Amino acid sequence: METRPERNGGAFLIDRAAEMDGPYVAVVGQAGGGEGGRVGATNIGRLRQGKAARGGANVTSWHLRVFAVVVGVMGCLLLAASLVMSALHQVQFRNGAISVNFRGLQELKQNFVRKEQSEQIMHERLLQMATLATSKNESDSGNFALWEEPYKQARKWTPCAAKYTLEEEPSEDNNGFILVSANGGLNQQRVAVCNAVVVAALLNATLVLPRFLHSSVWKDKSQFGDIYQEDYFVNYMKGDVLIVKDLPSHLQSLDLEAIGSQITDNDISKEAEPSEFIRTALPVLQKNGVVHFLGFGNRLGFDSVPADLQRLRCRCNFHALKFAPEIQKLGSLLVQRLRGVSAMQTEMDTQLFGSNMLDRPFGDKSTDDAGGPSRYLALHLRFEEDMVAYSLCEFGGGDEERRELQAFRETHFPALVARLRNTTVSPEELRSQGRCPLTPEEAGLILAALGYVRGTFIYVAGSQIYGGATRLRPLTRLYPNLVTKEDILSSDELAPLKNFSSRLAALDFIACASSDVFAVTDSGSQLSSLVSGHRVYHGRGRAPTLHPNRKRYAQILSEEAGIEWAGFQKRVRTMVDEYKRVRARPRGRTVYRQPRTPGCMCRADDDGSIDF
């Protein structure tokens, strides 16, 4: 009898599937009932008549022993089956909501893992100590502090951007039209949209609904209306900026580049001051009636923007941009299955899903009295091949890794390769400066040091991990309950978004924003920045984010040979706690990540007064 392991959703089976090159086999030998009977009959025929009674007794005793063995084997099989069913029940502890087809993290193994490799480990000593610690921590699985904001001051900050509009409503009698073609993926484009709102208000212009450029990296032809609700966006912002869906017909036929109305990222400084837009774009706008910003990646700064215009960014990002109904419904289903409940739970849900929050997942039999909502931690791993290659860091893979990443750079980042020809780069120095992305292993060590137990349910956001299962396995050794959207949602449910990377990224955005805890591994990631800001703005001080300082973490890891687990824990917790401290937005920081700033959030003082 050949028995194959079940392939149910959840990452409990990652290690087991990887450890077995083929199916495991349970062989049950045939009990000797038939053959033994024939032998017994022959022997009885040869016995003397006087010994018939004793021979019959011997045969009976032999059959009893065979029967006992068969019963014992059957009992063991039943016990084993019971244990397997129990394990599968634990995998499906979300009331059967996890997809039967285990495709998410398993696909990483199928696409990347090399048979001769099992694990890619950089910090073996720490990993061994962490493995022991996460198992011991199971008794602290209900530790409330791990799932809450540690500082009550966070609850004193409340959203304010929805309360106010400009003193004068915008007029159609203005300087002309602003057209923006935004590059990048979902999150870069979101930032560009909200920056465009501010620039349109600054230049007293009408904004044409932004267009999204097709990227060779993202390979997604989605436009604004495929991702966001166009009418809601236009109507919400109409008291601040006039927004139309298309240029007037008399401007559509113009060659904007030929008449000098096209402004690229080379023409505007990164994080430019408002005065630069007035100096560069306003004369063109007044002359031609239209300006086209092409690319528009991070072109508007933060510190020099007046509070009333800063507020427009927050109105746009935290209120006006609502995902399309199709994305909202699927995101609602994803979050419900992660939590194991169907009822709307938080203000964040209201903001993300609106009227498209599902009352009950399609086809699910989950009930709200099955233990209440389940906690989950969302982990954004920025360890895709492009990120790893661009960093110029090394991750323990030796010459093969260096050749592979160099080939990727030559194909996808030729400008970077050209700059490096006459430059020597030290991977060790880059790491000491905190410029290397964290590996899944390093992310897992942080969670272990903070006290998250082995059974913690973790949603992994991000694209395919560089190195696949060999890179993931140190993390799954610590935390086997890893899932992605592909594990939670079926192929049929994801089919409408297939081949649309930005729409799929919106599901990661939703799952991370709605999580009980959000863990960041890369401070430069737009997804991490936007999700962190949403959790501050709509989280009411009850949505903690874990944010390591990579430079300090690199220093800690460099001393791992002489550090004990208790010392490692203390230093990591101090590092993470530093980011959790509640403070207004520091100078030079983005309001998309840190919205505690005038015009965006308000702070209630101890005497009950409101500070804007």
Side-chain angles (χ1 to χ4, degrees):
M1 178 182 67
E2 183 180 286
T3 307
R4 295 183 181 270
E6 291 290 324
R7 300 178 71 236
N8 262 12
F12 291 93
L13 306 184
I14 291 178
D15 285 341
R16 295 172 192 168
E19 288 167 2
M20 296 181 292
D21 292 331
Y24 62 82
V25 180
V27 180
V28 181
Q30 291 183 346
E35 183 68 17
R38 289 192 295 271
V39 173
T42 302
N43 288 340
I44 290 172
R46 294 174 180 173
L47 293 176
R48 290 192 299 270
Q49 185 69 29
K51 296 183 179 179
R54 186 176 60 186
N58 288 338
V59 171
T60 301
S61 176
W62 187 85
H63 275 283
L64 287 175
R65 287 197 300 271
V66 171
F67 178 77
V69 170
V70 171
V71 170
V73 170
M74 293 298 294
C76 291
L77 289 174
L78 288 173
L79 178 60
S82 175
L83 291 174
V84 169
M85 293 303 295
S86 176
L88 290 177
H89 176 75
Q90 292 299 317
V91 173
Q92 296 178 308
F93 66 96
R94 296 285 194 256
N95 295 317
I98 293 177
S99 168
V100 172
N101 296 316
F102 180 60
R103 299 166 291 111
L105 296 172
Q106 180 67 10
E107 283 185 354
L108 293 175
K109 171 181 177 293
Q110 294 170 350
N111 291 339
F112 290 106
V113 68
R114 297 177 175 86
K115 291 182 179 180
E116 67 271 15
Q117 295 178 322
S118 57
E119 290 182 320
Q120 185 71 58
I121 297 175
M122 297 178 64
H123 310 284
E124 178 65 43
R125 182 171 176 272
L126 283 174
L127 187 62
Q128 290 178 355
M129 292 189 289
T131 302
L132 181 62
T134 53
S135 299
K136 286 184 176 179
N137 286 343
E138 289 294 342
S139 59
D140 296 327
S141 59
N143 189 341
F144 192 68
L146 293 173
W147 301 91
E148 282 292 310
E149 282 276 8
Y151 299 105
K152 293 183 179 180
Q153 299 95 311
R155 301 179 188 178
K156 294 183 178 181
W157 289 86
T158 58
C160 285
K163 295 181 180 180
Y164 309 101
T165 57
L166 297 176
E167 294 181 1
E168 297 182 6
E169 290 193 2
S171 169
E172 293 184 7
D173 184 18
N174 56 28
N175 290 320
F177 295 85
I178 298 293
L179 181 66
V180 171
S181 296
N183 58 17
L186 171 76
N187 302 293
Q188 293 90 335
Q189 291 166 347
R190 186 183 185 103
V191 169
V193 168
C194 294
N195 286 347
V197 167
V198 176
V199 170
L202 176 69
L203 301 181
N204 187 27
T206 297
L207 176 66
V208 179
L209 205 65
R211 300 171 183 173
F212 297 156
L213 296 174
H214 180 261
S215 167
S216 60
V217 176
W218 288 88
K219 300 177 181 178
D220 189 341
K221 297 181 179 180
S222 297
Q223 288 302 315
F224 190 99
D226 299 314
I227 300 172
Y228 301 108
Q229 298 177 34
E230 289 184 354
D231 292 338
Y232 186 92
F233 176 70
V234 171
N235 292 329
Y236 194 92
M237 298 303 302
K238 67 182 180 181
D240 304 290
V241 176
L242 289 180
I243 303 175
V244 297
K245 295 185 179 181
D246 295 293
L247 280 173
S249 57
H250 70 281
L251 294 176
Q252 290 182 13
S253 60
L254 294 178
D255 184 336
L256 298 183
E257 184 177 6
I259 66 174
S261 280
Q262 181 167 287
I263 297 178
T264 70
D265 284 356
N266 293 328
D267 303 316
I268 296 287
S269 305
K270 185 177 181 180
E271 297 189 359
E273 295 186 357
S275 59
E276 186 172 343
F277 283 90
I278 294 174
R279 184 174 62 253
T280 303
L282 185 57
V284 177
L285 180 65
Q286 292 173 329
K287 176 184 176 181
N288 297 330
V290 59
V291 166
H292 179 204
F293 290 102
L294 180 62
F296 208 58
N298 295 322
R299 294 300 107 178
L300 182 62
F302 298 97
D303 296 326
S304 57
V305 176
D308 61 330
L309 294 181
Q310 202 78 280
R311 177 187 56 79
L312 292 187
R313 273 176 159 153
C314 294
R315 281 176 62 77
C316 170
N317 183 43
F318 299 119
H319 295 282
L321 287 176
K322 303 293 186 186
F323 288 120
E326 178 183 53
I327 295 174
Q328 286 183 324
K329 291 176 181 177
L330 198 55
S332 169
L333 178 61
L334 173 63
V335 171
Q336 286 173 357
R337 287 179 176 173
L338 285 166
R339 291 180 182 159
V341 295
S342 62
M344 189 177 294
Q345 297 293 309
T346 66
E347 177 183 327
M348 184 72 73
D349 295 334
T350 303
Q351 295 298 327
L352 290 173
F353 308 125
S355 61
N356 288 311
M357 180 76 180
L358 300 178
D359 291 333
R360 189 168 298 280
F362 332 115
D364 283 357
K365 299 180 180 180
S366 57
T367 58
D368 293 341
D369 58 357
S374 300
R375 295 169 175 164
Y376 75 95
L377 181 149
L379 174 63
H380 183 213
L381 286 175
R382 285 291 280 122
F383 203 72
E384 298 91 346
E385 188 169 14
D386 61 335
M387 180 75 174
V388 172
Y390 197 84
S391 73
L392 304 178
C393 298
E394 295 183 356
F395 301 93
D399 291 339
E400 182 179 358
E401 176 189 286
R402 295 187 193 96
R403 287 193 297 269
E404 190 172 67
L405 294 179
Q406 180 61 20
F408 187 93
R409 283 189 284 266
E410 290 173 355
T411 301
H412 298 279
F413 304 126
L416 174 64
V417 173
R419 291 200 307 268
L420 292 173
R421 283 176 185 152
N422 299 318
T423 305
T424 301
V425 177
S426 169
E428 293 79 13
E429 185 176 349
L430 291 174
R431 185 169 296 280
S432 68
Q433 294 171 352
R435 296 171 62 182
C436 297
L438 299 187
T439 66
E441 174 191 1
E442 290 167 341
L445 290 173
I446 290 176
L447 297 180
L450 292 175
Y452 289 95
V453 301
R454 178 176 170 80
T456 301
F457 194 71
I458 298 177
Y459 177 88
V460 179
S463 301
Q464 292 179 326
I465 303 301
Y466 173 67
T470 59
R471 280 290 180 187
L472 269 174
R473 197 159 294 117
L475 176 59
T476 61
R477 184 200 296 189
L478 296 173
Y479 297 101
N481 298 353
L482 297 182
V483 293
T484 65
K485 55 184 173 292
E486 289 83 6
D487 301 318
I488 304 297
L489 300 171
S490 70
S491 298
D492 289 341
E493 289 164 340
L494 285 170
L497 308 188
K498 186 178 180 181
N499 299 324
F500 297 106
S501 59
S502 290
R503 300 183 217 179
L504 289 171
L507 295 181
D508 278 340
F509 183 105
I510 288 169
C512 290
S514 299
S515 64
D516 296 277
V517 174
F518 176 49
V520 175
T521 61
D522 175 32
S523 59
S525 161
Q526 287 283 18
L527 172 65
S528 294
S529 178
L530 290 167
V531 168
S532 297
H534 264 73
R535 292 171 66 81
V536 170
Y537 192 85
H538 290 301
R540 299 290 182 176
R542 294 178 172 84
T545 296
L546 309 178
H547 192 292
N549 181 313
R550 289 193 299 184
K551 184 175 182 179
R552 290 176 61 182
Y553 190 41
Q555 178 63 33
I556 296 171
L557 291 175
S558 70
E559 302 171 13
E560 67 172 294
I563 195 171
E564 297 302 325
W565 183 249
F568 180 75
Q569 272 189 314
K570 182 178 180 181
R571 294 176 67 177
V572 168
R573 291 180 181 186
T574 300
M575 172 188 70
V576 173
D577 183 67
E578 183 64 28
Y579 180 83
K580 288 185 177 182
R581 296 185 183 278
V582 180
R583 55 175 70 91
R585 181 185 69 87
R587 185 172 179 80
R589 301 300 176 86
T590 164
V591 297
Y592 298 115
R593 180 189 293 275
Q594 298 184 346
R596 296 187 183 108
T597 192
C600 194
M601 296 189 75
C602 306
R603 183 179 61 197
D605 295 330
D606 293 334
D607 60 4
S609 61
I610 302 295
D611 180 19
F612 299 102

